[in-house]
Amino acid sequence: METVADKRVVVVTGSTSGIGRGVAELLLSRGWRVVINSRSDDEVGESMAAANDDMIYARGDISHPQDCAQVVEAAISAWGRIDGLVNNAGTTAYVELDDIEGVTAEVWHRVLDVNVIGTWQMISAAMPYLKAAAPGRIVNIASVAGLRPVGSSVPYSVSKVAIVHMTSILGKVLGPDVLVNAVAPGLVDTAWTAEWSAVKENVAAAAPLRRVGQPQDIAAACEYLLNTNYTTGECIAVDGGMRLVV
Ligand SMILES: NC(=O)c1ccc[n+]([C@@H]2O[C@H](COP(=O)([O-])OP(=O)(O)OC[C@H]3O[C@@H](n4cnc5c(N)ncnc54)[C@H](OP(=O)(O)O)[C@@H]3O)[C@@H](O)[C@H]2O)c1
C-alpha cells in the first residue's frame, strides 16, 4: 500500500497558467506532490500552493541556471525526491515566417534561451534526482510547430524542433534510469492564445477532431508519459489531428 513517503514528486515549469497549470492540477488530483513554477506570477503560484498540502510554488526563470537549481532545491527541501519533470515553460516572438529581417539575433537569443537552453538547464539540475528515482521521467512540451513548418515565428518553431530532437537523443542515452518523452500540442485555449479568435475558428473548422485543444487534453498525455514503462524518445502530437491538414 502507498504511504505518504511513497508519493511521487513532479516539477512542472510554467505552471501558474494554461497548459502547465492544467498538468499540475491533474497530477495533484492523481496523488502526485507537485512543484509549480513561474517566472513572475507569484500571486497565483502562492495561492495555488496555499490551497493544497501537496503543492509548493517555486519562482524562477528557467533561462537562468541558478533559478533552475533553486526550483530543484525547493522540491528536494520539501520532499527529498524528484520522480518527474514536465518542461512546459516557454515563450515566443510573433514574426511572420517570411519576415527575415524581423528576426534579429536578439529575438533568436530570447526564444532559444528559454525554450531550448532553459529546458536543458532544468533537465541538468534535476538529473541526479531523476536518476536516483530510477526510473525518473521527463516530459517536454514541444508543439506542432516543431513537427510542421508552421508557428508564430521561425525561432519559435526551430526551438520546438530542437525540443523534439533533444527528446530523441536523451531518450536514447538516458535509459533505463530516465525515460524522456515529449508532447506536441496543437492550438490550445490558454492565456497565450486568448486573442487568437480567428485562428481558433479556423482550427475548429479544419481539424479532424473539430475543436481547439484544452489544457486537460495535454495534461492527460503528460500523465500517460509520466507513468509509461516502455516508451522513451517519443513525441506524441495532441492536436486534434491538425498536423495532418497544415
Ligand atoms: N497554447 C498553445 O496553443 C500552445 C501550443 C503548442 C505549444 N504550447 C507550449 O505550451 C507551453 C505553455 O503554453 P501556454 O499556452 O500554457 O502559456 P501560458 O498560458 O502563457 O502560460 C505560460 C506559463 O509559463 C510561465 N513562464 C513563461 N516564461 C517562463 C520562464 N522563462 N521561466 C519560468 N516560467 C515561465 C508563465 O509564468 P510568468 O507569466 O510568470 O512568466 C506561465 O505560468 C509553452 O511551452 C508553449 O510553447 C502552447
Side-chain angles (χ1 to χ4, degrees):
M1 202 176 87
E2 190 182 71
T3 67
V4 170
D6 294 330
K7 280 193 163 196
R8 290 186 295 168
V9 174
V10 63
V11 176
V12 185
T13 64
S15 40
T16 56
S17 170
I19 292 171
R21 182 169 182 158
V23 172
E25 287 174 345
L26 178 70
L27 296 174
L28 185 75
S29 77
R30 298 287 203 255
W32 289 75
R33 286 176 153 158
V34 185
V35 180
I36 55 169
N37 151 264
S38 79
R39 186 185 39 176
S40 57
D41 207 358
D42 295 351
E43 204 174 316
V44 173
E46 298 290 4
S47 81
M48 286 170 69
N52 298 291
D53 288 345
D54 283 336
M55 184 174 267
I56 59 168
Y57 170 67
R59 179 188 196 173
D61 181 337
I62 63 158
S63 68
H64 298 151
Q66 65 276 23
D67 288 19
C68 296
Q70 280 167 15
V71 172
V72 165
E73 185 46 39
I76 296 306
S77 342
W79 297 310
R81 59 191 280 179
I82 298 177
D83 303 271
L85 169 64
V86 180
N87 285 307
N88 167 76
T91 193
T92 193
Y94 299 96
V95 186
E96 292 294 331
L97 297 181
D98 62 355
D99 180 1
I100 305 304
E101 282 122 26
V103 178
T104 59
E106 186 278 324
V107 172
W108 276 107
H109 286 298
R110 188 172 61 72
V111 174
L112 297 185
D113 277 356
V114 176
N115 294 6
V116 181
I117 299 174
T119 296
W120 181 264
Q121 287 170 168
M122 280 303 305
I123 290 172
S124 175
M127 191 51 60
Y129 306 104
L130 291 166
K131 281 188 170 164
R137 296 179 178 89
I138 297 171
V139 181
N140 295 320
I141 301 300
S143 170
V144 163
L147 305 176
R148 307 278 305 126
V150 296
S152 43
S153 61
V154 173
Y156 177 75
S157 301
V158 169
S159 77
K160 295 300 186 176
V161 174
I163 289 297
V164 174
H165 203 58
M166 190 191 297
T167 301
S168 310
I169 292 175
L170 295 184
K172 178 176 160 182
V173 298
L174 291 179
D177 291 343
V178 183
L179 289 72
V180 188
N181 291 290
V183 176
L187 187 69
V188 181
D189 198 5
T190 68
W192 182 314
T193 60
E195 310 292 317
W196 301 10
S197 312
V199 183
K200 285 181 189 165
E201 277 173 31
N202 290 342
V203 167
L209 300 185
R210 295 285 183 273
R211 65 175 176 86
V212 300
Q214 295 299 323
Q216 294 77 8
D217 295 312
I218 313 308
C222 291
E223 186 196 14
Y224 166 73
L225 291 172
L226 286 168
N227 286 304
T228 186
N229 290 312
Y230 205 55
T231 298
T232 197
E234 187 56 85
C235 178
I236 300 178
V238 181
D239 66 342
M242 194 62 194
R243 78 197 174 287
L244 305 171
V245 296
V246 291

